[in-house]
Amino acid sequence: FHPSYDRGATVAGVVGVGRLITGMDRGLQGMCVNERRHLIVPPHLGYGSIGVAGLIPPDATLYFDVVMLDIWNKNDKLQITTLSKPEHCNRTVENSDFVRYHYNGTLLDGTPFDSSYSKDSTYDTYVGTGWLIKGMDQGLLGMCAGEKRSIIIPPFLAYGEKGYGTVIPPQASLVFSVLLVDFHNPKDGVFLEHLEVPESCKRRAVTGDFVRYHYNGTLMDGTLFDSSYSRNHTYNTYIGKGYIIPGMDQGLQGVCVGERRRVLIPPHLAYGENGAGDKIPGSAVLIFDVHIIDFHNPADQVEIETVYRPEDCNVTTRDRDFIRYHYNCSLLDGTKLFSSHDYEKPQEVTLGANKVIEGLNSGLLDMCAGERRVLIIPPHLGHGENGARGVPGSAVLRFEVELISMEEGVPEGYLFIWHGDPPASLYEQMDLNKDAEITAEEFSTFIKTQVAEGKGRLMPSSDPEKVIADMFRNQDRNQDGKITSEELKLKSDEDQEKIHEEL
């Protein structure tokens, strides 16, 4: 006589207050949602001897097939059930926070009405500012990022007696299954978590330093969006100068070499409401787990630590000295690069001859034989931003060096110097057989005699014969295998001639 199905609308009413016929008031008591009942209502509990004109005859027994869709009471409150919760929760949602969450929304009988998953996008909004229904405003409070909740909202905290469109009936209770993806507050700054800090931290990074670090970048739900490890290459940048997102500029301040740090960055210090690419959604909080490999400042000089210095240290190395030394070279994270101990002999070099990187050259100056040092060399005094074979670009290098021996050098551009004035009749003395020409053999014999008698010294080298051969070749101007008196000139005289030519 009066089916609700034909009207396309459910029946809503308050039970037990006389607004329904007595039989329905009693028949609905104790029903559960989705329960179906067959009620037989005798006339005295229905419409009695009067009936309903044109619809229900007098003294009619009524039959109702009822399915219970929703129940609520004006004293009801939110029903919140925590389905899962992360072990670590640094902060929970508060009023005025901006939240990003996924949800499935159903009526109390399980009928779905909306889902963020179907839109492939989180629902993003502020909490406690009136942008949500009251029940959701309250139901999100106290949640952790990554937490799952079931929130049952009575209609007076939802869409009330009007409902919403065609999907939410009037007076409907709502059930939301919520997963909180992330949240932040517009007042939030960068949050730092120090995972591992080396005991020895002589210096911390500041604005203007150039930092090399590895990182994993994730969203708050653990989704990985980027990683330097996957590229097998550190991320290298200046900090505090706007080359990276503001949150990372701040988050890398004060790091130590070797430190592991977690940096949580709110979106207004990251990629904002627009996000970045396909992997970073709008308004996303970012988490960076960073490992600092090294850092330096373009103004840094070589850092020298003397490990051992002999007590009887009277003679130290200078530019142009020829030295023999052992070394171990590594990155600041301990990665071994090169070692002289892998070869049969120590390394040999003439200081100041541009044969080694500038930082190593300066670090080997003023050393005594037997002295041991640790040198920290910034990249601009090492292999620069391009690196070298086996050396990453912009890498700070650590050298352990030990000076084995040293020989006094000669000024730049010289292969031999006199300890006093050269002989007045140099050519005649060098021409041993007096035939008015000097052969390579005569030249070599003469120079070796001067060295043996302490009248001069050769540029130190592991091959003095080659030095003498170079000297002879320099004097043999026409390369005919002999030196004439016109060809033989002291370097000091040659330098003077060049000055006159320039004048």
Side-chain angles (χ1 to χ4, degrees):
F1 59 83
H2 198 225
S4 65
Y5 294 98
D6 289 353
R7 297 194 305 274
T10 57
V11 177
V14 181
V15 176
V17 294
R19 296 182 182 178
L20 302 173
I21 59 174
T22 306
M24 187 65 78
D25 251 350
R26 296 179 183 179
L28 295 176
Q29 298 277 347
M31 285 189 76
C32 299
V33 172
N34 284 331
E35 182 179 344
R36 295 174 181 269
R37 282 185 179 179
H38 183 64
L39 307 180
I40 303 174
V41 181
H44 64 281
L45 298 178
Y47 292 95
S49 59
I50 299 175
V52 177
L55 190 64
I56 301 174
D59 297 317
T61 299
L62 307 179
Y63 294 79
F64 289 94
D65 287 309
V66 179
V67 57
M68 183 65 66
L69 301 179
D70 198 342
I71 312 166
W72 60 274
N73 189 284
K74 63 181 180 180
N75 295 320
D76 283 349
K77 297 181 179 180
L78 289 180
Q79 297 179 53
I80 297 175
T81 304
T82 300
L83 305 177
S84 66
K85 193 172 185 177
E87 292 183 10
H88 303 288
C89 183
N90 296 320
R91 186 166 88 80
T92 60
V93 174
E94 300 174 0
N95 278 324
S96 79
D97 283 344
F98 188 88
V99 295
R100 295 196 314 119
Y101 62 93
H102 271 302
Y103 69 89
N104 286 317
T106 66
L107 304 180
L108 206 58
D109 67 348
T111 302
F113 63 81
D114 196 13
S115 173
S116 64
Y117 295 98
S118 65
K119 304 181 185 71
D120 197 28
S121 177
T122 55
Y123 191 80
D124 308 342
T125 187
Y126 287 94
V127 173
T129 58
W131 290 19
L132 292 166
I133 56 175
K134 291 181 180 180
M136 190 61 83
D137 255 345
Q138 297 174 22
L140 293 171
L141 294 176
M143 287 191 77
C144 302
E147 182 177 344
K148 291 183 179 180
R149 277 184 180 180
S150 173
I151 305 172
I152 301 177
I153 304 175
F156 54 85
L157 295 177
Y159 294 99
E161 61 185 11
K162 293 183 179 180
Y164 186 83
T166 59
V167 293
I168 299 178
Q171 305 291 13
S173 300
L174 306 182
V175 181
F176 286 93
S177 176
V178 175
L179 167 62
L180 185 62
V181 175
D182 71 20
F183 68 96
H184 73 280
N185 194 283
K187 297 179 181 179
D188 284 347
V190 172
F191 178 81
L192 302 179
E193 187 176 349
H194 302 277
L195 304 178
E196 181 182 332
V197 181
E199 293 183 6
S200 173
C201 182
K202 296 180 180 178
R203 181 180 153 213
R204 295 179 179 272
V206 297
T207 293
D209 283 344
F210 190 87
V211 183
R212 295 195 315 123
Y213 61 96
H214 271 302
Y215 70 89
N216 284 321
T218 62
L219 305 179
M220 285 191 80
D221 64 357
T223 301
L224 182 72
F225 63 80
D226 194 16
S227 173
S228 64
Y229 296 99
S230 66
R231 296 185 290 275
N232 197 29
H233 193 284
T234 56
Y235 192 82
N236 309 332
T237 186
Y238 288 95
I239 64 169
K241 302 181 75 172
Y243 292 158
I244 47 180
I245 57 175
M248 191 60 84
D249 253 347
Q250 297 176 26
L252 292 174
Q253 296 283 339
V255 293
C256 299
V257 172
E259 181 175 348
R260 295 180 185 272
R261 178 181 285 193
R262 179 166 293 156
V263 185
L264 276 74
I265 304 176
H268 53 274
L269 296 176
Y271 294 100
E273 61 184 13
N274 295 322
D278 298 330
K279 296 186 175 181
I280 300 179
S283 301
V285 177
L286 306 183
I287 301 175
F288 288 91
D289 285 319
V290 300
H291 179 207
I292 307 302
I293 303 302
D294 64 31
F295 64 86
H296 73 281
N297 193 281
D300 285 348
Q301 298 300 312
V302 177
E303 181 182 328
I304 299 175
E305 178 187 352
T306 299
V307 178
Y308 170 75
R309 189 177 178 98
E311 293 182 1
D312 55 341
C313 179
N314 299 317
V315 180
T316 60
T317 53
R318 297 179 297 175
D319 256 345
R320 311 304 303 171
D321 284 353
F322 181 77
I323 65 170
R324 293 178 178 85
Y325 64 101
H326 272 304
Y327 70 90
N328 291 315
C329 176
S330 63
L331 302 178
L332 292 193
D333 65 356
T335 301
K336 179 182 175 182
L337 298 180
F338 315 105
S339 175
S340 63
H341 297 282
D342 294 337
Y343 303 93
E344 294 181 359
K345 297 180 179 180
Q347 184 78 8
E348 297 178 340
V349 71
T350 298
L351 294 174
N354 297 320
K355 298 298 183 183
V356 294
I357 56 175
E358 184 179 349
L360 180 57
N361 191 91
S362 62
L364 290 168
L365 294 174
D366 195 34
M367 286 189 76
C368 301
E371 184 174 343
R372 296 193 299 273
R373 287 178 174 179
V374 173
L375 311 176
I376 306 298
I377 301 176
H380 52 275
L381 298 176
H383 292 286
E385 62 182 15
N386 294 323
R389 185 176 180 181
V391 180
S394 300
V396 179
L397 302 179
R398 183 181 190 272
F399 278 88
E400 298 172 350
V401 296
E402 179 182 6
L403 186 63
I404 305 302
S405 64
M406 56 183 289
E407 297 177 39
E408 187 178 2
V410 298
E412 185 176 359
Y414 286 79
L415 298 176
F416 173 90
I417 62 169
W418 296 96
H419 289 159
D421 293 329
S425 54
L426 177 60
Y427 189 84
E428 287 76 7
Q429 292 191 31
M430 197 174 287
D431 182 10
L432 300 180
N433 62 6
K434 309 305 179 185
D435 63 351
E437 58 184 29
I438 301 169
T439 64
E441 183 179 353
E442 287 177 308
F443 185 88
S444 177
T445 300
F446 177 80
I447 294 297
K448 289 178 180 178
T449 300
Q450 307 310 303
V451 172
E453 293 177 356
K455 296 179 180 179
R457 70 175 185 273
L458 285 168
M459 181 186 78
S461 170
S462 57
D463 188 359
E465 295 290 348
K466 182 179 182 302
V467 176
I468 295 174
D470 289 342
M471 291 175 64
F472 181 83
R473 188 163 46 254
N474 290 343
Q475 295 296 324
D476 182 11
R477 316 287 172 172
N478 61 7
Q479 303 300 304
D480 63 353
K482 56 183 180 293
I483 301 172
T484 64
S485 59
E486 290 78 16
E487 290 177 313
L488 184 67
K489 293 179 181 179
L490 295 173
K491 189 174 188 307
S492 57
D493 295 334
E494 290 179 338
D495 292 343
Q496 192 62 34
E497 285 181 4
K498 288 180 182 178
I499 293 173
H500 289 306
E501 288 172 2
E502 290 172 2
L503 291 174

